Amino acid sequence: ILQEGKYMKGQHQGGETLLNLTDIIWFEKIDRAYYACLANEKYRVRPTITELETLLPGTFVRINRAVIINLAFLLNYSPWENNKYVVRMKVP
């Protein structure tokens, strides 16, 4: 799944590619599919959010049941309601 701890396979319309982990802003689950989100593209990935949580390096943090963010792209966060937060990401 992860290649040398630096790359991950992702699927796009044209086929499979290797994604550099440092380019991934967040991972998310939409319906029953899992995606790696980069600045301009979304790639389908095989591991679940739970599997990703154990595979990814410490710069990635799970913030809810369906999303893992890359802290390198965290702009800021602020309290919202019921002990929840609004997270803003830096998107290149």
Side-chain angles (χ1 to χ4, degrees):
I1 298 171
L2 290 180
Q3 311 234 337
E4 299 178 20
K6 295 181 182 181
Y7 297 94
M8 163 175 268
K9 285 185 185 178
Q11 297 176 338
H12 203 267
Q13 297 123 345
E16 286 190 350
T17 189
L18 286 179
L19 307 172
N20 190 328
L21 290 180
T22 60
D23 294 335
I24 298 172
I25 301 170
W26 71 81
F27 291 92
E28 66 183 342
K29 178 183 178 189
I30 300 174
D31 297 323
R32 293 184 179 181
Y34 302 91
Y35 296 92
C37 301
L38 285 71
N40 298 316
E41 298 284 342
K42 224 181 246 194
Y43 295 86
R44 190 167 181 168
V45 294
R46 291 183 187 238
T48 66
I49 293 293
T50 302
E51 291 168 341
L52 286 167
E53 188 177 23
T54 61
L55 293 171
L56 293 168
T59 57
F60 288 89
V61 176
R62 187 171 185 168
I63 60 169
N64 64 33
R65 292 186 321 168
V67 177
I68 294 176
I69 64 169
N70 184 344
L71 290 177
F73 290 96
L74 177 66
L75 178 62
N76 59 40
Y77 64 94
S78 57
W80 190 35
E81 60 181 30
N82 300 325
N83 294 323
K84 295 180 183 176
Y85 292 86
V86 173
V87 175
R88 293 173 193 88
M89 303 299 289
K90 294 182 268 186
V91 180

